[in-house]
Amino acid sequence: MTGRKKLFIKTYGCQMNVYDSERMGDALGARGFEQVDSPEGADMILLNTCHIREKAAEKVYSELGRYKGLKADNPGLKIGVAGCVAQAEGEEIIRRQPMVDLVVGPQAYHRLPEMLDKAGNGPVVDTDFPAEDKFTHLPRGPKAKRAPSAFLTVQEGCDKFCAFCVVPYTRGAEVSRPPARLLEEARDLLARGVVEITLLGQNVNAYQADGWSLARLIREMAKLDGLKRIRFTTSHPNDMGDDLIAAFGEEEKLMPYLHLPVQSGSDKILKAMNRKHTAEGYLELLERIRAARPDIALSGDFIVGFPGEDEADFEATLELCQEVRYAAAYSFKYSPRPGTPAAERSHVDEAVKAERLQRLQTLLGEHQFAFQQSMVGQTLPVLLERPGREAGQMVGKSPYLQAVHMDAEPELAGRIVNAKILRSERNSLAGALLKP
Ligand code: SAH
Ligand code: SF4
Ligand code: F3S
């Protein structure tokens, strides 16, 4: 064979998909593929998809539509659909887009190389939930140098069944990976130049394996030489154990940032969503977390216009936000998802959803801006990651997950430097590098 085959991967959705795409890229790399930045001229295209809202799912079909010409130019081109749309729709994808060669669900990625071998004889679909750990069976690529910050999936799946959400159906039941394997993978990342690891899971704080909690896993990882920062996401309020809260106060490498979605500030809606906690319970929890780590930056997710949400319910959400003052937040209009309980209920008018979303985002935006502004004049430790937009600049991250740009040499990538914050912009901070 002359030359390596070209692989183009496009990733949608959450960080878990980013991690999965890296691992699939590795696995196919071991099969002679090199990754390229555009679909033109590729021998294989893999879409790693998201099913969380209708818009996310529809993107897949419009993207596939754009590949028609490519397949005409190169009949050898293989097109694969992975991720949560693959899991949710399975063979339906091939019915809608017959040019798709393979459909692979999130728990079957380790079978990808063999599926590819079979795909020469017509389309293949694998949406099983096999018992084995897909990551253990995925081949590893060569020890390539990595960016300073990396994701590491420690837990997958969800048993919570919020009434609006597809994740328990697309990712399956909660499964935690064994700690020994995770420590080994962390060491491997450190050997490749990684200094910050974000532990990922759909319900990462439900992590439980070999008697280890997430707090224990964090404490053990913190002992690894060369690891400078640890983060984790996404957490559920009901799995926020005392040991994890304590770790925020005690473990220096654990960064003071917590994404803790609440979805709504109305108890009636929380109940209808099957969230199994109240607004008050959530606020009390935040109080305990802030007691352990007073400077913690909080972020959340919100859904507006959930079935049954009236103006008073929505205002309760605004009140909760006033109380918490999130450093960052993500908010969405409720999107009915096939197969979920809430999809069967009577829906809030689209125009009302849009109006509420706008009001909520205005408030969240004010708080986010105030948080950014409060950094001006402070000196923050910044992990430098990559070149900035302008020549001579580098961009890094504050402990609070803010992008900070400053004049700095590219050789400083992977180092934590002190920076004086000069200005706050909407989505980033401008700083000046302080000499050590
Ligand atoms: N496991 C995480 C996040 C899952 S999805 C958690 O429990 O919080 C990320 C976010 O998408 C959710 O927090 C929710 O705000 C939003 N989301 C999920 N399903 C949705 C739907 N049907 N319509 C609108 N937003 C949704
Ligand atoms: Fe979805 Fe709820 Fe599970 Fe989060 S906790 S993934 S929102 S079902
Ligand atoms: Fe989307 Fe699946 Fe993640 S639905 S948000 S890619 S778990």
Side-chain angles (χ1 to χ4, degrees):
M1 196 182 79
T2 55
R4 281 161 71 81
K5 290 173 284 177
K6 294 189 171 61
L7 168 68
F8 174 68
I9 303 183
K10 185 158 181 165
T11 307
Y12 301 87
C14 61
Q15 291 111 325
M16 311 216 26
N17 266 9
V18 174
Y19 177 82
D20 285 350
S21 289
E22 281 167 6
R23 298 303 306 272
M24 286 191 279
D26 265 3
L28 292 169
R31 281 296 189 100
F33 282 93
E34 67 170 332
Q35 287 194 54
V36 293
D37 299 332
S38 100
E40 281 78 30
D43 300 290
M44 167 143 194
I45 296 175
L46 197 55
L47 296 184
N48 195 5
T49 62
C50 174
H51 203 244
I52 202 81
R53 284 168 291 274
E54 191 181 355
K55 268 204 193 116
E58 280 308 315
K59 273 187 199 153
V60 180
Y61 291 101
S62 57
E63 187 69 18
L64 286 171
R66 294 172 47 194
Y67 298 155
K68 283 215 174 88
L70 298 179
K71 196 112 182 179
D73 294 345
N74 174 12
L77 169 64
K78 295 271 177 284
I79 298 180
V81 177
C84 290
V85 175
Q87 189 63 42
E89 298 192 356
E91 288 173 15
E92 178 62 24
I93 296 174
I94 292 170
R95 271 194 290 278
R96 267 181 80 173
Q97 279 291 1
M99 67 177 172
V100 170
D101 299 283
L102 57 96
V103 174
V104 56
Q107 302 311 334
Y109 292 156
H110 51 297
R111 298 179 180 166
L112 194 58
E114 87 193 55
M115 286 176 74
L116 199 56
D117 293 340
K118 284 193 208 141
N121 312 316
V124 279
V125 177
D126 191 340
T127 51
D128 282 357
F129 286 107
E132 70 264 33
D133 175 5
K134 67 178 176 189
F135 296 119
T136 311
H137 296 270
L138 271 174
R140 286 285 174 76
K143 288 212 182 296
K145 180 123 176 83
R146 300 264 318 229
S149 184
F151 292 135
L152 174 52
T153 293
V154 304
Q155 180 278 342
E156 262 201 282
C158 182
D159 298 339
K160 296 279 190 291
F161 291 92
C162 297
F164 49 82
C165 185
V166 293
V167 171
Y169 311 96
T170 62
R171 292 277 170 165
E174 283 177 8
V175 179
S176 297
R177 301 178 62 201
R181 207 150 272 149
L182 295 171
L183 288 166
E184 182 194 312
E185 199 168 325
R187 278 189 211 100
D188 177 72
L189 289 170
L190 299 178
R192 296 169 184 228
V194 168
V195 295
E196 174 182 80
I197 295 181
T198 302
L199 307 176
L200 298 180
Q202 261 96 30
N203 267 316
V204 71
N205 55 347
Y207 180 87
Q208 195 57 247
D210 300 351
W212 289 37
S213 64
L214 182 66
R216 168 107 191 259
L217 183 65
I218 290 168
R219 288 181 201 275
E220 296 295 330
M221 277 212 178
K223 293 179 188 160
L224 297 177
D225 274 343
L227 183 58
K228 295 180 185 159
R229 288 181 166 186
I230 303 173
R231 301 176 183 277
F232 62 89
T233 200
T234 293
S235 303
H236 192 287
N238 291 356
D239 291 318
M240 209 64 217
D242 289 339
D243 58 346
L244 190 56
I245 296 175
F248 274 113
E250 292 162 6
E251 189 42 72
E252 230 171 278
K253 291 182 180 179
L254 182 59
M255 290 294 103
Y257 184 98
L258 177 64
H259 183 59
L260 198 63
V262 65
Q263 315 297 352
S264 168
S266 151
D267 287 344
K268 179 186 103 191
I269 296 301
L270 287 169
K271 192 163 193 319
M273 286 175 163
N274 193 32
R275 291 291 292 185
K276 299 199 174 86
H277 61 76
T278 60
E280 199 50 46
Y282 177 79
L283 292 171
E284 277 167 20
L285 172 62
L286 293 192
E287 238 169 72
R288 288 195 285 132
I289 296 166
R290 279 179 163 151
R293 182 77 206 223
D295 67 330
I296 198 157
L298 293 162
S299 87
D301 288 344
F302 297 89
I303 295 177
V304 300
F306 185 78
E309 183 189 77
D310 59 25
E311 178 62 23
D313 296 316
F314 174 66
E315 280 169 16
T317 300
L318 295 177
E319 273 160 38
L320 180 137
C321 293
Q322 284 287 16
E323 190 132 338
V324 177
R325 297 186 68 86
Y326 290 94
Y330 306 86
S331 46
F332 315 95
K333 286 190 279 183
Y334 169 69
S335 169
R337 307 306 295 130
T340 60
E344 310 300 321
R345 302 179 192 162
S346 73
H347 296 304
V348 172
D349 197 68
E350 266 316 300
V352 174
K353 284 187 199 171
E355 186 256 347
R356 287 183 189 162
L357 185 65
Q358 229 230 315
R359 281 159 69 198
L360 178 61
Q361 290 187 338
T362 303
L363 182 69
L364 293 169
E366 282 167 17
H367 295 165
Q368 182 163 354
F369 189 68
F371 181 73
Q372 291 283 92
Q373 203 64 40
S374 73
M375 297 291 140
V376 176
Q378 291 197 42
T379 297
L380 296 178
V382 175
L383 169 58
L384 289 175
E385 291 183 307
R386 58 182 196 287
R389 259 169 292 142
E390 282 157 44
Q393 274 196 346
M394 291 287 287
V395 187
K397 269 203 307 276
S398 78
Y400 312 107
L401 209 62
Q402 297 151 300
V404 186
H405 51 92
M406 69 192 81
D407 289 341
E409 299 298 321
E411 292 72 44
L412 288 175
R415 295 266 295 276
I416 294 178
V417 300
N418 281 324
K420 174 110 178 165
I421 304 305
L422 305 173
R423 274 193 324 279
S424 108
E425 286 150 25
R426 216 182 148 64
N427 294 310
S428 68
L429 298 171
L433 178 65
L434 298 181
K435 294 283 167 252

